[in-house]
Amino acid sequence: THITITVSNIDHSIEFYSSFCKLSVLRDRRHEGGGTVWLGPTPSPGAKPIFLLVIGEGEVTSRMDHLGFQCERREDVDQIAERGRQLGILDVPPTDLGVPVGYFTIIRDPDGHLVEFTYGQPIEGLT
């Protein structure tokens, strides 16, 4: 249902994940005394979120391998890679490894966590 990561600056991370990953703030617990922000794809009215990225501010002592996001178009991967290059956060340029990996690029969030964007990675029908 969720992944939780520690970030060094919560506002910078909200901007990154909103801008690059198209995630929205679904709950901001900083005002509730919880200190975390819950991000996810905006659910349809009345629907529950299908996935949450929970971020909390603190010392980043470890990093995950990577988060993966599926793009609707191959050109989206190229655009994200170019933005990442311009910002100095591009880690892996657009690469096509064919099935089952597909076309992908990897950038780094403000704390160095890797974020992969793919096109053509078959995730439907996994059991």
Side-chain angles (χ1 to χ4, degrees):
T1 59
H2 70 279
I3 294 173
T4 301
I5 61 173
T6 302
V7 300
S8 62
N9 182 307
I10 207 161
D11 291 319
H12 288 158
S13 293
I14 290 169
E15 172 60 29
F16 174 88
Y17 286 102
S18 297
S19 173
F20 278 99
C21 305
K22 306 301 182 221
L23 299 181
S24 301
V25 173
L26 301 179
R27 177 171 288 154
D28 188 338
R29 296 200 61 231
R30 292 178 291 177
H31 310 292
E32 302 168 12
T36 59
V37 174
W38 301 9
L39 302 163
T42 303
S44 302
K48 294 180 183 177
I50 57 170
F51 164 80
L52 293 172
L53 173 62
V54 180
I55 58 176
E57 195 166 285
E59 180 185 356
V60 179
T61 58
S62 62
R63 292 187 179 91
M64 68 189 141
D65 184 66
H66 71 274
L67 285 173
F69 291 86
Q70 184 78 0
C71 295
E72 292 185 24
R73 302 174 312 130
R74 185 179 175 104
E75 295 80 18
D76 296 337
V77 173
D78 293 330
Q79 290 171 356
I80 289 167
E82 179 56 24
R83 286 179 59 205
R85 186 193 63 73
Q86 291 173 2
L87 294 170
I89 60 172
L90 179 64
D91 194 76
V92 177
T95 304
D96 194 340
L97 293 181
V99 177
V101 177
Y103 189 65
F104 71 97
T105 191
I106 299 176
I107 62 175
R108 291 189 177 272
D109 82 356
D111 292 296
H113 298 289
L114 296 174
V115 184
E116 175 188 67
F117 296 88
T118 62
Y119 172 77
Q121 192 172 84
I123 58 173
E124 292 80 14
L126 296 177
T127 58

